[in-house]
Amino acid sequence: MTSAPVYRPAARWLHWLIALLLLATIPIGGTMTGEGLARSTQDSMFIFHKNVGVLILLLMIGRLAYRLAVPPPPLPASVPDWQRRVAGLTHGLLYLLVFVMAISGYIRVVAGGFPLESLDALGVPRLAPRSDELAETAKAVHATTRFILIPLILLHIGAGLFHGVVKRDGVLSRMIPALSRGR
């Protein structure tokens, strides 16, 4: 395995925390609007999805600020230029689409007049007006964006596994340094 510079601990923690939260909210988001669920189960899923979405948005703001202040480590020299370009584009789109999902979800809830328990409890003012039209537009953006975001997440995971398991070129160990230990 090629040794490559690793992401700093703060970048790794933000990456994995956001990844876990996204992987938890995606299936809940797809399930919570389905038929046949008990109302109490559905309500719990909505509360979880909305509030974790707010947490993801806040963490993404922190992650973007951190990334701008502390650039990621370079890819190993063995990575071809075309893969570097695809990786850069993929990362940029992941950031963009996660922001689009979180912001459109927030607007959907706030403009729709629904509670946002975590922020309401803290007395945080709502940053969008009450508007059924705005809520429906945000709902459509939120629902449509998932069709791009989910395959992109799968591509990102697949590429990481390809580099970590097949190529063993140090790309994955930049985010999981333990993979390069003992080799």
Side-chain angles (χ1 to χ4, degrees), residues 10 14 23 33 35 43 66 107 109 142 152 165 169 178 183:
L14 285 167
L23 292 175
T33 57
E35 295 180 24
D43 287 346
Y66 184 84
I107 292 171
V109 170
H142 195 73
L152 202 58
V165 176
D169 59 4
R183 295 205 191 279

Side-chain angles (χ1 to χ4, degrees), residues 27-107:
I28 288 174
T31 304
M32 68 189 190
T33 57
E35 295 180 24
L37 290 175
R39 185 65 194 174
S40 61
T41 301
Q42 197 172 32
D43 287 346
S44 296
M45 291 174 126
F46 271 103
I47 290 168
F48 176 86
H49 190 80
K50 293 184 299 182
N51 291 285
V52 171
V54 168
L55 180 57
I56 290 169
L57 178 58
L58 295 173
L59 289 169
M60 283 297 295
I61 291 168
R63 185 171 181 194
L64 180 59
Y66 184 84
R67 186 176 181 116
L68 292 172
V70 182
L75 287 165
S78 62
V79 176
D81 284 341
W82 72 269
Q83 285 183 6
R84 290 173 190 277
R85 288 191 298 278
V86 170
L89 178 63
T90 301
H91 282 102
L93 284 172
L94 283 169
Y95 273 77
L96 175 66
L97 293 175
V98 171
F99 273 115
V100 167
M101 287 295 283
I103 292 168
S104 64
Y106 172 85
I107 292 171

